[in-house]
Amino acid sequence: MINLNPFSIPPLVSALIFLLLGVFVLLKNKKSIINIIFSLVCLATFWWQFSWFILFNTESTIIANIIIRIGYAGIILIPIIFFHFFIIFLERKNKFDKLLLYFSYLLAFIFEAL
């Protein structure tokens, strides 16, 4: 029997809302880069919230430690993908913004590896 912690319900609801929002926006126009990037923001947020839902229902400290690491892997990507979304949304095409974006993704993947 699954022992559902009542504190895990808000992260589950939030995760499902972000997942549905991301799918909804993506299905509106699958070829639009702004829709794709926004859906990635929603996916990363879903990843984070769903990890917390699982974490709140875990009794093993070993599994909880693994889930925390998986959850933080999604959290690291949220600000960078959000920054990417705003660059596209605001139609910023200068070299500095692109360089900063590439550096941000590189830094995120370094943090992911660590």
Side-chain angles (χ1 to χ4, degrees):
M1 183 174 165
I2 297 174
N3 188 13
L4 186 66
N5 183 338
F7 294 110
S8 71
I9 295 171
L12 176 62
V13 171
S14 176
L16 293 176
I17 288 171
F18 274 107
L19 183 64
L20 292 173
L21 179 63
V23 169
F24 174 75
V25 169
L26 189 61
L27 291 178
K28 284 293 181 182
N29 188 355
K30 294 178 187 176
K31 295 183 180 185
S32 170
I33 188 69
I34 197 162
N35 289 26
I36 293 169
I37 298 298
F38 184 79
S39 294
L40 287 175
V41 171
C42 291
L43 180 65
T45 307
F46 164 79
W47 177 350
W48 164 42
Q49 289 296 310
F50 195 73
S51 296
W52 265 222
F53 164 71
I54 295 170
L55 177 66
F56 290 153
N57 290 302
T58 302
E59 294 180 8
S60 168
T61 56
I62 296 170
I63 294 173
N65 199 6
I66 293 168
I67 293 170
I68 288 171
R69 293 174 191 274
I70 292 169
Y72 274 114
I75 292 171
I76 289 171
L77 295 173
I78 292 172
I80 290 118
I81 300 171
F82 209 53
F83 176 61
H84 192 171
F85 170 75
F86 276 112
I87 286 176
I88 293 170
F89 182 75
L90 297 174
E91 298 177 353
R92 303 279 307 237
K93 296 182 181 182
N94 62 41
K95 290 181 182 180
F96 178 74
D97 287 340
K98 283 188 177 186
L99 184 63
L100 188 58
L101 180 64
Y102 292 141
F103 178 73
S104 298
Y105 274 115
L106 176 67
L107 193 60
F109 288 116
I110 289 170
F111 283 141
E112 294 284 346
L114 295 176

